[in-house]
Amino acid sequence: QVQLVASGGDSVEPGGSLRLSCEASGLRFGDYAMGWFRQKPGKEREGISCISYNNNMAYYPKSVKGRFTISKDNAKNTLFLQMNSLKAEDTATYYCAAASSRSGSWCPEEGDQVDYWSEGTQVTVAS
């Protein structure tokens, strides 16, 4: 049974940092491209970062580029998202996602490309 467990969400002030983690089990983690998505109240889930199965490439939309960094530790079956310079608009529920792919030039930017989801972890950025 595949399980993705996201953690690390918290309340921080603007300008602060957080690191999210996602521990995976029940799958060959090294064969999966991974991603982080977020969902704000009343909005659709959006992709904010993803990484290929072998860490060869990563994607960031303009909204987080330069502030967020994704990393994938295949030895520990764990995905990370380092979030710096957090803004109020980063407030959302964050989800990690796995997509089966051994393409070193692809990662899941859209939700319909995902095979497995974690439960959410809440990030709140407020003074």
Side-chain angles (χ1 to χ4, degrees):
Q1 181 181 357
V2 175
Q3 190 172 20
L4 302 177
V5 180
S7 62
D10 205 345
S11 295
V12 296
E13 294 187 347
S17 297
L18 281 176
R19 188 171 85 150
L20 304 184
S21 300
C22 175
E23 294 186 34
S25 60
L27 52 71
R28 291 172 60 103
F29 189 71
D31 290 346
Y32 280 75
M34 301 293 293
W36 287 99
F37 292 72
R38 68 185 180 191
Q39 190 165 20
K40 303 176 183 180
K43 302 286 188 180
E44 290 193 359
R45 196 172 296 189
E46 61 172 335
I48 57 164
S49 183
C50 65
I51 190 166
S52 63
Y53 84 105
N54 61 354
N55 298 327
N56 188 58
M57 64 82 70
Y59 161 77
Y60 305 93
K62 189 181 295 186
S63 58
V64 307
K65 196 167 189 177
R67 300 188 299 122
F68 290 9
T69 302
I70 191 170
S71 59
K72 183 175 184 274
D73 188 333
N74 286 337
K76 296 183 178 179
N77 286 9
T78 304
L79 179 74
F80 301 98
L81 184 69
Q82 179 66 43
M83 304 188 295
N84 298 328
S85 303
L86 283 162
K87 306 175 181 180
E89 51 262 43
D90 294 318
T91 295
T93 302
Y94 285 69
Y95 302 85
C96 77
S100 178
S101 172
R102 288 184 60 84
S103 168
S105 58
W106 182 88
C107 64
E109 299 177 21
E110 304 289 338
D112 60 5
Q113 299 169 323
V114 171
D115 295 314
Y116 302 104
W117 293 99
S118 72
E119 296 294 320
T121 186
Q122 179 66 35
V123 172
T124 301
V125 185
S127 300

